[in-house]
Amino acid sequence: MSLGTTDTAAGGRLSQFLGSPVIGMSPWIAMSVIVGPGRFELAVAIALALAVALVVVGRIRRPGSSFKILEIADVVFFAVMAVIGIFASPGTYRWLENYSGEVANIALMAIALGSMACRVPFTLQYAREQVPREFWSDPRFLRTNYYITGAWGAAFAVAAIAGAYGDLVLHNSNNLWTGWIIQIAAIIAALQFTEWYPDVVRARSLRERNLPGPSEPPVSSFLTPLAGYLTPVGILVLAFGAGPVWLGVALILLGVVLVKSMSRPKEAEPDASG
C-alpha cells in the first residue's frame, strides 16, 4: 500500500513538474545561459531539442490537449534561429554568436507582454491544468498569473539588458557578471516567485474565508535562494578573478550569514490570552 501511495505521489509530482510554465521556458533559459562566441549551434540545438521534446511530452501526457502559446513560440523561434544559422553568412553568424542571447531574451519578454496584453498570460494555460475549472474565472487566480508572467518578462528583460551591456559596452560576451551571474540571478528570482507567490495567494484566500490551512509563506522563503546564490558567486569571483578578493570573500560570508538568518525558525508569539 505504501509503495502504491509513493508511486502515486511521485507520479503527481512528476505531472505537476511537467505541467509547470518553468518547463515551457526551459529552452529559453538554456539559450540565454549557453549561447556565446563558439556556442551558437550548441545553444540553438539544445533549445530546439527541448522545445520539440516538450511538445511531444505534452501530447503524450494530455492526449488531444490544445497547444500552448509558449510551446508554439518555442518551436517556431528556435527552428527559425536554426535555419538562419545554417544559411547565414560569416558576418551574420558572428552577429548571432554575440547577440542571439539578447534576441532570445527580448523575444520571450515580448511574448510575456503580448500574452498579457491579449489577456491570456502564458502561465495561465499551465495553471489551468493544475486547478479545478471552477477557479479559472476567480480574479485572484487570473491576477496571480498576470504577476507570474510579468515576473518572467521582467527576468528576461534584465537578462537582455545585462547581455547587451556586456556585448555593447564591455565588448565581452563571456563577461562573468553580465553573461552569467546577473542573468542566472534574474532566472532564480523568477523561479522562486513562481513557486512562492501562489502559496501566498492560497494562504490569504483561506484566511479571508476563515478556513484552516497552511500559513502564508514569509518573504524570507522567497529571498533565501537568492541569498544562497551569493556564496557561489563569491567563489566564482575568487576563482576567475572577476573582482577584488575582498568582494569575493564578502559575498561568500554575506551569503552564509543571510541564509542562516532567513532559515532560523521564528520564535512562537506569546499567547495573548495569558
Side-chain angles (χ1 to χ4, degrees):
M1 179 66 72
S2 61
L3 179 59
T5 302
T6 302
D7 289 344
T8 301
R13 287 194 295 269
L14 178 61
S15 179
Q16 186 176 9
F17 175 73
L18 293 174
S20 168
V22 175
I23 294 299
M25 282 175 280
S26 58
W28 303 86
I29 295 173
M31 180 73 178
S32 176
V33 173
I34 296 173
V35 74
R39 300 190 300 273
F40 173 76
E41 291 179 346
L42 175 64
V44 172
I46 291 175
L48 182 57
L50 283 172
V52 173
L54 291 176
V55 171
V56 174
V57 171
R59 303 293 76 73
I60 293 174
R61 194 171 67 92
R62 288 181 176 270
S65 61
S66 59
F67 290 96
K68 298 181 178 67
I69 294 172
L70 201 53
E71 288 179 339
I72 297 172
D74 288 352
V75 174
V76 171
F77 180 83
F78 293 111
V80 169
M81 292 291 281
V83 171
I84 292 175
I86 291 172
F87 296 102
S89 65
T92 301
Y93 191 85
R94 285 193 297 272
W95 188 92
L96 289 171
E97 285 187 315
N98 288 324
Y99 300 110
S100 57
E102 286 77 71
V103 171
N105 289 329
I106 292 171
L108 186 57
M109 180 188 68
I111 291 169
L113 296 178
S115 68
M116 293 169 67
C118 295
R119 299 187 177 182
V120 187
F122 66 71
T123 60
L124 186 63
Q125 293 175 298
Y126 294 90
R128 283 176 175 170
E129 295 181 353
Q130 307 293 333
V131 302
R133 183 178 291 271
E134 59 263 28
F135 293 106
W136 290 6
S137 59
D138 188 318
R140 282 171 296 207
F141 175 70
L142 297 172
R143 186 168 58 249
T144 297
N145 280 280
Y146 274 102
Y147 286 165
I148 293 175
T149 300
W152 280 103
F156 279 91
V158 169
I161 293 170
Y165 186 85
D167 291 336
L168 299 175
V169 178
L170 302 180
H171 304 292
N172 181 8
S173 298
N174 287 320
N175 180 272
L176 187 65
W177 288 95
T178 60
W180 299 87
I181 292 174
I182 295 174
Q183 296 194 38
I184 292 174
I187 292 171
I188 291 174
L191 282 168
Q192 277 303 110
F193 188 79
T194 301
E195 295 296 321
W196 172 79
Y197 188 66
D199 290 339
V200 172
V201 174
R202 280 190 289 269
R204 290 176 181 175
S205 176
L206 291 171
R207 187 175 66 239
E208 290 170 2
R209 290 179 290 167
N210 294 318
L211 295 175
S215 59
E216 181 178 325
V219 176
S220 60
S221 64
F222 164 64
L223 295 176
T224 298
L226 288 169
Y229 181 57
L230 295 176
T231 297
V233 167
I235 295 172
L236 289 173
V237 169
L238 294 177
F240 292 96
V245 172
W246 67 262
L247 176 61
V249 173
L251 288 172
I252 293 172
L253 295 176
L254 183 61
V256 171
V257 171
L258 287 176
V259 169
K260 285 187 176 181
S261 175
M262 292 178 180
S263 302
R264 186 180 301 130
K266 294 183 178 179
E267 295 182 4
E269 296 182 0
D271 189 350
S273 62

